[in-house]
Amino acid sequence: MRKIVIAIDGYSSCGKSTTAKAVAAELGYAYIDTGAMYRAVTLYLLEHKIAFDDLPRIEQALHDMHISFKRNRRTGRNELCLDGEIREDEIRQMYISNSVSEVSVIPAVRHAMVSQQQRMGRKRGVVMDGRDIGTTVFPDAEVKVFMTAETRVRALRRQEELAINGEQVEVEEIIENLTKRDHLDSTRAESPLRRATDAIMLDTTHITIDEQVDFVLERVSATLFSLAAVGDLAVPNDEKKPPTAYRT
């Protein structure tokens, strides 16, 4: 049975990563947190004191750095590695959140990350979450979901995540950060954050993570059923271009 690509896009702190991880685990698919990759680039630039407008040094940095994911056998989660070192906790800090959207708008950064993400998912059987998976990275993803939630609810969720990692941040500061990031992500010239025309909207304001996961899995099941009905699941990857996403 041919595997598919599941693209989960949307705003920060809507539950994208948690949902995507759970869906990947349920299906036995690979999970790729594309947002973590942009955070890793941000961390690298800050640590090497590279200005965000110094394009030659940024292009060299993109050539020099190595971003990968390693599965933590104890926790069961994929952790981001930057140049062979696990940096999962550092990239989640607030100072990275305050700069990541500025880094993400740089065309060279987006081109490098999109290219790497496409290589990671070329065999399909992946769940990717981010801002432009269904529109730019995998516009032919068979399942596309766009997640949103009220800003204050997102801020409270983010505050709880930061607290777990020992970082105390006022909710108003987080709201300001989210609002800024939403604007930058939605208005950037390169791969802006937007809902793909064939993506299904999921508002997570008043639903649980389990309900979010069930929502996506139901779409996956419906899509696999539709593909099987037309015989696409029996066609090898290298003999037919993957279909565009089905809506249910």
Side-chain angles (χ1 to χ4, degrees):
M1 181 177 291
R2 194 192 69 209
K3 293 184 177 181
I4 64 174
V5 170
I6 302 165
I8 302 180
D9 290 309
Y11 297 96
S12 299
S13 302
C14 288
K16 296 194 308 296
S17 295
T18 304
T19 297
K21 290 174 189 175
V23 169
E26 184 72 23
L27 297 173
Y29 278 21
Y31 164 65
I32 299 173
D33 180 356
T34 64
M37 298 171 70
Y38 289 100
R39 287 174 172 270
V41 176
T42 303
L43 177 63
Y44 186 98
L45 296 183
L46 291 173
E47 289 189 337
H48 289 77
K49 296 180 171 41
I50 300 175
F52 297 165
D53 59 355
D54 190 341
L55 299 184
R57 289 192 67 195
I58 289 174
E59 290 178 356
Q60 184 61 49
L62 291 168
H63 180 269
D64 293 341
M65 74 178 71
H66 179 68
I67 297 173
S68 61
F69 291 92
K70 181 177 181 180
R71 185 169 182 80
N72 185 316
R73 294 182 179 179
R74 182 176 59 82
T75 64
R77 69 173 184 169
N78 281 347
E79 297 181 328
L80 182 131
C81 296
L82 179 60
D83 293 334
E85 182 181 354
I86 295 175
R87 306 300 298 275
E88 185 69 25
D89 291 337
E90 289 96 327
I91 66 170
R92 305 299 174 182
Q93 296 297 309
M94 194 66 186
Y95 80 99
I96 298 295
S97 296
N98 286 333
S99 297
V100 65
S101 288
E102 294 179 58
V103 173
S104 298
V105 302
I106 301 170
V109 173
R110 297 213 70 83
H111 293 165
M113 294 302 101
V114 168
S115 178
Q116 184 170 345
Q117 291 155 14
Q118 290 173 333
R119 288 197 299 271
M120 289 177 171
R122 67 176 177 267
K123 293 183 179 180
R124 310 188 84 76
V126 297
V127 183
M128 283 194 183
D129 73 273
R131 303 286 195 281
D132 61 349
I133 311 307
T135 55
T136 301
V137 182
F138 280 101
D140 64 347
E142 290 86 352
V143 173
K144 300 180 185 179
V145 177
F146 189 91
M147 295 174 63
T148 186
E150 294 176 3
T151 303
R152 178 164 287 275
V153 171
R154 292 160 54 204
L156 290 170
R157 291 172 180 171
R158 180 63 178 150
Q159 185 182 50
E160 184 177 350
E161 292 172 359
L162 290 168
I164 291 174
N165 291 326
E167 191 172 2
Q168 302 299 321
V169 183
E170 294 294 330
V171 69
E172 295 304 325
E173 180 182 346
I174 299 174
I175 289 175
E176 181 179 353
N177 170 259
L178 291 176
T179 302
K180 174 186 174 182
R181 292 180 63 190
D182 290 348
H183 175 72
L184 289 173
D185 290 343
S186 300
T187 60
R188 67 186 178 222
E190 195 77 26
S191 303
L193 168 63
R194 60 182 176 84
R195 176 187 175 188
T197 56
D198 52 352
I200 299 173
M201 181 72 78
L202 174 59
D203 189 327
T204 70
T205 302
H206 302 296
I207 65 175
T208 66
I209 290 295
D210 285 345
E211 290 172 326
Q212 293 171 205
V213 173
D214 288 343
F215 179 93
V216 177
L217 288 174
E218 286 171 5
R219 269 60 193 174
V220 171
S221 294
T223 297
L224 291 175
F225 180 82
S226 296
L227 292 173
V230 297
D232 277 355
L233 289 180
V235 181
N237 281 342
D238 57 355
E239 292 184 11
K240 185 172 181 179
K241 179 181 178 180
T244 54
Y246 283 72
R247 294 193 65 179
T248 59

